[in-house]
Amino acid sequence: MLLPARQMKQSTILCILPLIAACLVLSGCKSPPAGTKFLGQAIDVRFTAIDGRQVDVSQMRRRVVLVDFWASWCPPCVKEVPIIKAAYEKLHSRGFEVVGISLDDDNKDLLAFIAKEKIDWPQFYDPKGAEHRLAKQFGIEEIPVMWLLDKSGKLRDIDATENLVEKVEKLLAEP
């Protein structure tokens, strides 16, 4: 017995929907990485660093800027520090800047870590924790998040934790 076309469509849809739902659940159904919606756009990051420096990435045009969302209590973030330091030491004189956005809960911990590791680049600290102004502005929900801005201030890479030096050198080579 053949089913009418309408019943076949409904029957097929009812069979496929659970399969699609299962695939989404099994794939993790994650939201896109933080920064995805800002790719290709100029990023507005302005703050007074914990050492009193005024930081405005729009004033860093003609330089490649790493915006590092991190915290001293975060093991994966701490693991990135020597990599960032090496890139900074190698490429700073060629036009590479780093801006740290700390999500530390206590600025004493942040200050101690910066002193111990001899971190030279500016750091922003907001005591609001989960309500951190810049984290909220850019949808940062987990760290580390490392973004690269090109010489015009546009967000070009939202995963600079991979091949940082190579990515910075490529952006520095652009006109």
Side-chain angles (χ1 to χ4, degrees), residues 131 164 166 170:
E131 296 298 309
L164 178 61
E166 293 85 0
K170 183 178 176 186

Side-chain angles (χ1 to χ4, degrees), residues 48-105:
T48 301
I50 58 173
D51 62 4
R53 284 184 271 185
Q54 295 301 309
V55 177
D56 181 349
V57 296
S58 70
Q59 301 300 311
M60 297 179 184
R61 297 295 194 262
R62 297 185 304 276
R63 303 186 73 72
V64 172
V65 180
L66 174 72
V67 180
D68 180 24
F69 294 89
W70 75 292
S72 65
W73 50 259
C74 164
C77 301
V78 171
K79 183 179 166 197
E80 295 295 328
V81 170
I83 297 165
I84 298 169
K85 283 180 71 173
Y88 186 76
E89 289 167 9
K90 179 178 181 180
L91 301 169
H92 180 68
S93 64
R94 292 179 42 203
F96 177 51
E97 296 292 342
V98 179
V99 172
I101 310 295
S102 171
L103 276 69
D104 274 277
D105 301 318

Side-chain angles (χ1 to χ4, degrees), residues 35-45 57 61 137-138 147-150 152-158:
T36 301
K37 70 179 182 178
F38 300 108
L39 277 168
Q41 297 179 31
I43 299 299
D44 182 25
V45 175
V57 296
R61 297 295 194 262
Q137 177 181 343
F138 294 114
W147 291 350
L148 279 173
L149 310 182
D150 66 15
S152 66
K154 292 180 181 171
L155 179 58
R156 292 281 296 278
D157 192 308
I158 59 172

Side-chain angles (χ1 to χ4, degrees), residues 1 19 37 90 105 111 113 127 130 135:
M1 172 171 155
L19 182 60
K37 70 179 182 178
K90 179 178 181 180
D105 301 318
L111 291 168
F113 186 86

